Coordinates of all heavy atoms in Angstrom, one line a residue:
Chain D
K219 N -7.5 -22.3 1.2 CA -7.5 -20.8 1.3 C -8.8 -20.4 1.9 O -9.9 -20.5 1.3 CB -7.4 -20.3 -0.1 CG -6.9 -18.8 -0.1 CD -6.3 -18.4 -1.5 CE -5.6 -17.1 -1.4 NZ -4.2 -17.3 -0.9
K220 N -8.6 -19.9 3.1 CA -9.8 -19.5 3.9 C -10.8 -18.6 3.1 O -10.3 -17.6 2.6 CB -9.4 -18.8 5.2 CG -9.2 -19.8 6.3 CD -9.2 -19.1 7.6 CE -9.2 -20.1 8.8 NZ -10.5 -20.5 9.1
G221 N -12.0 -18.9 3.2 CA -13.0 -18.1 2.5 C -13.2 -18.3 1.0 O -14.1 -17.9 0.4
A222 N -12.2 -19.0 0.4 CA -12.3 -19.2 -1.0 C -12.4 -20.6 -1.5 O -13.3 -21.0 -2.2 CB -11.0 -18.5 -1.7
Y223 N -11.4 -21.4 -1.1 CA -11.4 -22.8 -1.7 C -10.6 -23.8 -0.9 O -9.8 -23.4 -0.1 CB -10.9 -22.8 -3.1 CG -9.5 -22.3 -3.3 CD1 -8.5 -23.3 -3.2 CD2 -9.2 -21.0 -3.6 CE1 -7.1 -22.9 -3.4 CE2 -7.9 -20.6 -3.7 CZ -6.9 -21.5 -3.6 OH -5.6 -21.1 -3.8
V224 N -10.9 -25.1 -1.1 CA -10.0 -26.1 -0.6 C -9.6 -27.0 -1.8 O -10.4 -27.4 -2.6 CB -10.9 -27.0 0.4 CG1 -10.0 -28.2 0.9 CG2 -11.4 -26.2 1.5
Y225 N -8.3 -27.2 -1.9 CA -7.8 -27.9 -3.0 C -7.2 -29.3 -2.5 O -6.3 -29.3 -1.7 CB -6.7 -27.1 -3.7 CG -6.1 -27.7 -4.9 CD1 -6.9 -28.2 -5.9 CD2 -4.7 -27.7 -5.1 CE1 -6.3 -28.7 -7.1 CE2 -4.1 -28.2 -6.2 CZ -4.9 -28.7 -7.2 OH -4.4 -29.2 -8.4
M226 N -7.7 -30.3 -3.1 CA -7.2 -31.7 -2.7 C -6.6 -32.4 -3.9 O -7.1 -32.3 -5.0 CB -8.4 -32.5 -2.1 CG -9.0 -31.9 -0.9 SD -10.3 -32.9 -0.2 CE -9.4 -33.9 0.9
T227 N -5.6 -33.2 -3.6 CA -5.0 -34.0 -4.7 C -5.1 -35.5 -4.4 O -5.3 -35.9 -3.2 CB -3.6 -33.7 -5.0 OG1 -2.9 -33.7 -3.7 CG2 -3.4 -32.3 -5.6
K228 N -5.0 -36.3 -5.4 CA -5.1 -37.8 -5.2 C -4.0 -38.3 -4.3 O -2.9 -37.9 -4.3 CB -5.0 -38.4 -6.6 CG -5.2 -39.9 -6.6 CD -5.6 -40.4 -8.0 CE -4.4 -40.6 -8.9 NZ -4.8 -41.3 -10.1
N229 N -4.4 -39.2 -3.4 CA -3.5 -39.8 -2.5 C -2.9 -41.1 -3.2 O -3.6 -42.0 -3.4 CB -4.2 -40.2 -1.2 CG -3.3 -40.9 -0.2 OD1 -2.1 -41.1 -0.5 ND2 -3.8 -41.4 0.9
P230 N -1.6 -41.0 -3.5 CA -1.1 -42.2 -4.2 C -1.1 -43.5 -3.4 O -1.0 -44.6 -3.9 CB 0.3 -41.7 -4.6 CG 0.7 -40.7 -3.6 CD -0.6 -40.0 -3.3
Y231 N -1.2 -43.3 -2.1 CA -1.1 -44.5 -1.2 C -2.5 -45.0 -0.8 O -2.5 -45.8 0.1 CB -0.3 -44.1 0.1 CG 1.1 -43.8 -0.2 CD1 1.6 -42.5 -0.2 CD2 2.1 -44.8 -0.6 CE1 2.9 -42.1 -0.5 CE2 3.4 -44.4 -0.9 CZ 3.8 -43.1 -0.8 OH 5.1 -42.8 -1.1
F232 N -3.5 -44.5 -1.4 CA -4.8 -44.9 -1.0 C -5.0 -46.5 -1.1 O -4.7 -47.0 -2.2 CB -5.9 -44.2 -1.8 CG -7.3 -44.7 -1.5 CD1 -7.8 -44.8 -0.2 CD2 -8.2 -44.9 -2.6 CE1 -9.1 -45.2 0.0 CE2 -9.5 -45.3 -2.3 CZ -10.0 -45.4 -1.0
F233 N -5.4 -47.1 0.0 CA -5.5 -48.6 0.0 C -6.5 -49.1 -1.0 O -6.5 -50.3 -1.3 CB -5.8 -49.1 1.4 CG -7.1 -48.7 1.9 CD1 -8.2 -49.4 1.7 CD2 -7.3 -47.5 2.7 CE1 -9.5 -49.1 2.1 CE2 -8.5 -47.1 3.2 CZ -9.6 -47.9 2.9

Side-chain angles (χ1 to χ4, degrees):
Chain D
K219 200 162 192 78
K220 269 196 170 276
Y223 62 88
V224 178
Y225 182 49
M226 300 184 89
T227 50
K228 186 158 84 168
N229 177 4
Y231 297 106
F232 176 48
F233 64 86

